[in-house]
Amino acid sequence: MYAALTLFAQKGYASTSVADILQAAGVNAGSLYHFFPGKQDVLLAVLDAYLRGIHPMLLAPAWKGVADPVERVFALLERYREHLVTTECTYGCPIGSIALELHEPDPAVRALLAANFAGWVSAIEQCFIEAGDRLPDDVDRRALAIFALTTMEGGVMVSRTDRTTDAFDDAVRMLRDYVNRLQLAVR
Amino acid sequence: MYAALTLFAQKGYASTSVADILQAAGVNAGSLYHFFPGKQDVLLAVLDAYLRGIHPMLLAPAWKGVADPVERVFALLERYREHLVTTECTYGCPIGSIALELHEPDPAVRALLAANFAGWVSAIEQCFIEAGDRLPDDVDRRALAIFALTTMEGGVMVSRTDRTTDAFDDAVRMLRDYVNRLQLAVR
DNA sequence: GTCTATAACCCGATAGAC
DNA sequence: GTCTATCGGGTTATAGAC
């Protein structure tokens, strides 16, 4: 299962064959097909694992020692940057990759992808909500959270293509400047 | 050729078989392989067509009747929104889709993807440069252009997953607010 | 240059013994 | 529940006549 999760993140869904999963997991075809009706059901399990792992596996490590809600947003983005660096900009967000890889996804798959995005956005939205009156009242907290997501996903996409963190860094720097200006506007 | 371009945009590269291309183009295998060594070379030709088409096919229509450099940025983003709407949010930017679909792209493919992003960014950067002193001096025009690209690509990604333009609209609205605040800051 | 037929390969999934 | 062998189908690319 975690073999599949790793392989999907590295190679994508379509490029990962069932044989690849079997070899990485050290199991045989019969075993896998005993637990999963097919390959797509493995993907569903992986996407469900990501969804349930948002808080314990993603946010908790990123926010360790970071209490300020606004800093938490950028601490999370910093995690993705580190992920880019450690993989030499070969892969970033597995959800985003799979979301664009599958052009006609099964409704169940698409629902889990959307749920993963929604979970991420809600967590960041909560940060901006907790920022309270540090942000202007009329700023849509949820839209700002979605903006953070699109900045991360777009930054990962371009950085992966360029094999440099430059685009990611530029985008995050601009987002930081925007949030700073919003905070200055309220003073 | 344009059959391949269309199919790659609709179904992606891997999911488009050579047989699909042959059928859509109304040609036979022998003809295609007479001009192209292999499927990847068709992709290279398509990516090259996108690159050379940035100005005549993408920017020119988007900027028709729009003279203001800042408005041109959002007029271009509006084109992508319309693309999402007309396809019921099933596909947005073909370059971004292919960029995330291919996890270990051939260097030539990756170079053309990067060139497409770079061409897009340079055009938008030029808009922000032409905006002159309407933007603060210390604002990095190129970084701002990259930010516009990541906003578009990230917005398309999430909107495609959600089958709603909401995420795209939220992201672009935030970008617009940022640019507005930058313009206000200079007064 | 264009056509048809097919080679060579890999895929997901299954059958059936144990 | 787990194993091995294999099926049926789709893939890219090629061979060879015209």
Side-chain angles (χ1 to χ4, degrees):
Chain A
M1 172 47 37
Y2 289 96
L5 185 144
T6 304
L7 285 168
F8 289 164
Q10 288 173 348
K11 307 175 48 175
Y13 174 68
S15 299
T16 300
S17 69
V18 174
D20 290 335
I21 299 172
L22 298 177
Q23 187 181 10
V27 298
N28 298 97
S31 304
L32 189 148
Y33 283 101
H34 177 74
F35 293 104
F36 299 98
K39 184 187 177 186
Q40 179 178 288
D41 301 274
V42 178
L43 175 61
L44 290 173
V46 166
L47 291 178
D48 188 61
Y50 276 120
L51 181 60
R52 288 181 289 103
I54 288 181
H55 284 273
M57 309 294 274
L58 182 67
L59 300 179
W63 292 350
K64 191 172 184 178
V66 183
D68 184 88
V70 173
E71 292 311 310
R72 282 189 164 193
V73 174
F74 292 96
L76 178 59
L77 296 182
E78 174 61 22
R79 290 283 287 194
Y80 285 93
R81 185 185 195 278
E82 289 166 6
H83 198 201
L84 280 174
V85 170
T86 57
T87 64
E88 288 175 329
C89 295
T90 52
Y91 60 103
C93 171
I95 305 300
S97 296
I98 294 170
L100 278 201
E101 176 187 3
L102 305 176
H103 287 249
E104 285 175 358
D106 187 270
V109 172
R110 196 174 62 77
L112 271 175
L113 289 168
N116 270 278
F117 283 146
W120 198 100
V121 166
S122 290
I124 297 302
E125 178 189 10
Q126 192 59 34
C127 290
F128 288 129
I129 290 174
E130 288 174 13
D133 56 10
R134 288 165 56 188
L135 293 172
D137 284 346
D138 62 344
V139 168
D140 184 338
R141 267 69 174 166
R142 184 160 192 89
L144 196 53
I146 289 170
F147 196 32
L149 175 62
T150 62
T151 300
M152 182 276 282
E153 293 289 2
V156 161
M157 176 194 292
V158 183
S159 275
R160 250 187 51 177
T161 303
D162 291 344
R163 291 284 194 272
T164 312
T165 58
D166 292 353
F168 185 89
D169 293 340
D170 282 338
V172 172
R173 190 156 45 86
M174 294 291 100
L175 181 68
R176 167 76 85 167
D177 183 57
Y178 178 40
V179 173
N180 284 346
R181 287 174 190 271
L182 287 177
Q183 288 179 299
L184 285 172
V186 87
R187 287 187 187 173
Chain B
M1 173 49 34
Y2 289 96
L5 186 145
T6 304
L7 285 168
F8 289 164
Q10 287 173 348
K11 307 175 48 174
Y13 174 69
S15 298
T16 299
S17 70
V18 174
D20 291 335
I21 299 171
L22 298 176
Q23 186 181 11
V27 298
N28 296 97
S31 305
L32 188 147
Y33 283 101
H34 177 74
F35 293 102
F36 299 99
K39 184 186 176 186
Q40 179 177 288
D41 301 273
V42 178
L43 175 61
L44 290 173
V46 167
L47 292 178
D48 188 61
Y50 275 121
L51 181 58
R52 287 181 290 101
I54 289 182
H55 281 87
M57 308 294 274
L58 181 67
L59 300 180
W63 292 351
K64 191 171 184 177
V66 183
D68 184 88
V70 173
E71 291 311 309
R72 283 189 165 193
V73 174
F74 292 97
L76 178 58
L77 296 182
E78 175 61 23
R79 288 284 287 196
Y80 285 93
R81 184 184 196 279
E82 289 165 6
H83 199 199
L84 280 174
V85 170
T86 56
T87 65
E88 288 175 331
C89 295
T90 52
Y91 63 103
C93 171
I95 306 299
S97 295
I98 294 170
L100 280 200
E101 176 186 3
L102 305 176
H103 285 250
E104 285 175 356
D106 186 89
V109 173
R110 195 172 64 75
L112 271 176
L113 289 168
N116 270 279
F117 283 146
W120 199 100
V121 167
S122 291
I124 298 302
E125 177 190 10
Q126 191 58 34
C127 289
F128 287 129
I129 289 174
E130 288 173 13
D133 57 10
R134 287 165 57 188
L135 293 172
D137 284 346
D138 62 343
V139 168
D140 184 338
R141 267 68 174 167
R142 184 160 192 87
L144 196 54
I146 289 170
F147 196 32
L149 175 61
T150 63
T151 300
M152 182 276 283
E153 293 289 1
V156 162
M157 176 194 292
V158 182
S159 275
R160 249 187 52 177
T161 304
D162 291 345
R163 291 284 193 273
T164 313
T165 59
D166 292 353
F168 185 90
D169 293 340
D170 282 338
V172 171
R173 189 156 46 86
M174 295 291 100
L175 181 68
R176 168 75 86 168
D177 183 56
Y178 178 40
V179 173
N180 283 345
R181 286 173 191 271
L182 288 176
Q183 289 180 297
L184 285 174
V186 88
R187 287 187 186 173

